[in-house]
Amino acid sequence: MDLQLAGKQALVTGSTAGIGFAIAKALAGEGARVIVNGRSEARVGDAIAAIAGAHGSAQLEPLAADLGTPEGAELAIARFPDVAILVNNLGIFAPRPFEEIRDDEWARMIEVNFMSGVRLSRHYLPRMKERDWGRIIFIASESAVNIPVEMIHYGVTKTMQVALARGLAETTVGTGVTVNSVLPGPTRSEGVEQFVEDLARSQGKTVEEMEREFFQTTRPTSLLRRFETTDEVAAMVAFIASPMSSATNGAAIRADGGLLRSIL
């Protein structure tokens, strides 16, 4: 399917690994000019090489900057003052009992997961509205709805993203700009895979046993009963980023493997 993304410039934050990398690759495969972002030039270079290997004609731009900081956002905006598609994917997570989460850990989680998208959207959204076309997509999580007891601060920031996306969408009335959030379920990204491997090792189990147990006990409502692939999530994001999704605005779009039981 041609998603009509040829020539559109897209910034995907945190796109050197995991879901962000898969999104950057999917958009590049559809002909978009993709800005690949990571904190180090080496990581960005490796990601660009991998995407170019998958799509020989990919149009890619490097952006080595920590977009979880005001300085990083300023650098991104200075180098790329206009984009047609902004995917706010940058995020961190850290399993931790609520009673042990310090103020600085709350602040860091909010700064990276939430404020990174605030800063970039604040710059790019008015310009999209001036051109009467644009896409802003927040990569949230099913944890925005099912707040995970093992990392409440993470879940709270994902809820904040969904609320922000809906609020920003309300400002786009009558334009060709849309703002949506995508809610993946448990996904086999680089960070999650390492987390599962460490957990399996600590409990003397195989990764396969740990995955089965996870979906039996921690996420028993999943209909998929396995970790999603990053490419599965990226396919949904690529559609939402395209002109073909013009009737979808202000939505929290579930790519959660059927984990959330609500009918809306």
Side-chain angles (χ1 to χ4, degrees):
M1 181 183 294
D2 179 7
L3 294 182
Q4 304 168 24
L5 288 173
K8 296 191 181 300
Q9 180 142 288
L11 168 58
V12 184
T13 68
S15 46
T16 58
I19 291 174
F21 173 79
I23 293 169
K25 184 173 67 171
L27 295 178
E30 292 291 336
R33 301 194 311 274
V34 181
I35 302 162
V36 179
N37 164 246
R39 286 181 296 177
S40 75
E41 292 184 4
R43 293 273 287 178
V44 171
D46 288 346
I48 284 178
I51 294 171
H55 302 292
S57 60
Q59 302 174 70
L60 305 165
E61 293 271 6
L63 175 60
D66 183 355
L67 299 185
T69 66
E71 297 78 15
E74 289 172 6
L75 175 61
I77 290 166
R79 283 197 56 198
F80 303 101
D82 286 292
V83 300
I85 300 164
L86 170 63
V87 182
N88 290 308
N89 168 78
L90 180 64
I92 57 174
F93 68 94
R96 196 159 174 78
F98 170 74
E99 296 82 358
E100 297 177 11
I101 305 172
R102 303 185 308 269
D103 283 5
D104 64 309
E105 293 173 310
W106 273 102
R108 177 62 177 160
M109 189 71 68
I110 292 170
E111 189 79 359
V112 175
N113 292 6
F114 181 68
M115 289 304 299
S116 60
V118 169
R119 294 184 182 109
L120 295 174
S121 299
R122 185 167 55 209
H123 173 81
Y124 291 118
L125 180 58
R127 287 154 179 79
M128 291 178 182
K129 288 191 280 191
E130 286 174 9
R131 292 193 307 270
D132 198 31
W133 199 90
R135 297 285 184 267
I136 296 179
I137 304 167
F138 289 84
I139 306 304
S141 168
E142 53 85 16
S143 293
V145 180
N146 277 343
I147 303 294
V149 69
E150 69 274 13
M151 45 183 179
I152 289 173
H153 56 339
Y154 169 80
V156 167
T157 61
K158 292 299 167 179
T159 308
M160 292 166 70
Q161 285 183 312
V162 174
L164 176 61
R166 179 65 206 192
L168 295 182
E170 293 288 344
T171 74
T172 66
V173 176
T175 74
V177 180
T178 67
V179 187
N180 295 288
S181 51
V182 173
L183 281 60
T187 304
R188 192 178 288 283
S189 64
E190 186 179 79
V192 169
E193 190 158 10
Q194 187 61 55
F195 171 65
V196 173
E197 287 177 2
D198 292 344
L199 200 58
R201 191 179 305 110
S202 68
Q203 297 185 18
K205 298 176 181 177
T206 66
V207 171
E208 291 74 18
E209 289 171 335
M210 204 71 246
E211 182 170 349
R212 283 196 300 271
E213 184 176 309
F214 177 82
F215 286 100
Q216 288 168 355
T217 60
T218 307
R219 295 293 188 275
T221 59
S222 170
L223 303 181
L224 197 59
R225 285 301 173 103
R226 63 167 173 81
F227 286 106
E228 299 168 41
T229 69
T230 56
D231 288 340
E232 287 172 327
V233 177
M236 174 67 81
V237 176
F239 170 73
I240 299 302
S242 77
M244 300 178 71
S245 69
S246 55
T248 303
N249 195 9
I253 300 146
R254 291 162 47 179
D256 65 328
L259 191 151
L260 297 173
R261 281 183 161 169
S262 63
I263 62 174
L264 294 176

